[in-house]
């Protein structure tokens, strides 16, 4: 490939021109050089983004490059969030199971068609299933405390 530069002409919107002028002034370079730098930066970033997508590395391993490190940080945040949500879902599932057990015990104890000896057995099974919670304790009250 030739090292000679190629001439490119183009037009930009006034808002983009103001941004380009501001960026060139900030960098202390001409607008033409700034356009070239921005294009090179864009292609380098795009190449790095593709390397993240195509990376064979496992999540959590050390990454090289800006995009790799940003993706690794995002993976870490997502892992923490998912762990917290998992604990919350497990707690809610436990409460629902407790309420279903309590409903089944109430049905068995208070249904007249159930023989008395089976009612007493249901009360015992319900007490064991529910565990240390008393029959009058509400899962909502325990959650608020």
């Amino acid at each position: 490939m030739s090292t000679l530069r190629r001439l490119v002409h183009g037009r930009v919107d006034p808002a983009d021109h103001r941004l380009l002028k501001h960026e060139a002034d900030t960098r202390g370079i001409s607008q033409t050089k700034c356009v070239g730098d921005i294009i090179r930066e864009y292609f380098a970033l795009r190449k790095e983004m593709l390397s993240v997508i195509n990376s064979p590395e496992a999540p959590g391993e050390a990454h090289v490059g800006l995009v790799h490190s940003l993706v690794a940080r995002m993976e870490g945040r997502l892992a923490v969030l998912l762990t917290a949500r998992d604990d919350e879902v497990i707690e809610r599932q436990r409460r629902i199971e407790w309420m279903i057990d309590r409903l089944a015990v109430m049905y068995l104890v208070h249904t007249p068609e159930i023989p008395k000896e089976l009612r007493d057995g249901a009360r015992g099974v319900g007490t064991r299933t529910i565990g240390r919670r008393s029959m009058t304790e509400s899962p909502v009250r325990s959650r608020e405390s």
Side-chain angles (χ1 to χ4, degrees):
M1 184 171 142
S2 173
T3 58
L4 297 175
R5 296 179 181 242
R6 307 284 190 250
L7 181 62
V8 177
H9 293 278
R11 297 188 184 281
V12 294
D13 294 330
D16 293 335
H17 185 261
R18 277 191 300 276
L19 289 173
L20 176 62
K21 184 173 179 355
H22 181 265
E23 184 68 22
D25 290 344
T26 302
R27 294 182 185 199
I29 57 177
S30 69
Q31 290 181 21
T32 305
K33 179 157 178 36
C34 187
V35 168
D37 290 350
I38 289 172
I39 289 173
R40 279 188 293 283
E41 291 167 7
Y42 167 77
F43 284 123
L45 181 62
R46 196 168 113 179
K47 183 178 178 182
E48 189 175 343
M49 292 286 285
L50 287 173
S51 75
V52 169
I53 294 169
N54 299 328
S55 175
E57 298 172 0
E61 289 184 11
H63 300 289
V64 178
L66 174 65
V67 175
H68 282 280
S69 62
L70 292 174
V71 169
R73 285 176 49 196
M74 184 175 59
E75 286 174 349
R77 287 188 202 125
L78 286 173
V80 168
L81 179 66
L82 290 174
T83 302
R85 291 286 186 219
D86 184 46
D87 293 342
E88 184 179 316
V89 168
I90 289 170
E91 176 63 21
R92 288 181 180 186
Q93 177 185 354
R94 186 185 60 77
R95 288 187 182 140
I96 291 171
E97 289 172 354
W98 180 82
M99 288 187 276
I100 291 171
D101 287 344
R102 184 174 174 179
L103 179 65
V105 169
M106 284 177 35
Y107 172 77
L108 292 172
V109 169
H110 296 291
T111 303
E113 292 83 16
I114 304 287
K116 183 163 177 37
E117 57 274 1
L118 291 178
R119 283 189 222 164
D120 294 337
R123 187 174 283 123
V125 169
T127 304
R128 284 193 305 273
T129 303
I130 293 172
R132 291 188 208 70
R133 291 182 189 234
S134 69
M135 291 295 285
T136 59
E137 184 181 350
S138 166
V140 176
R141 272 188 258 135
S142 67
R143 181 179 178 198
E144 292 171 353
S145 57

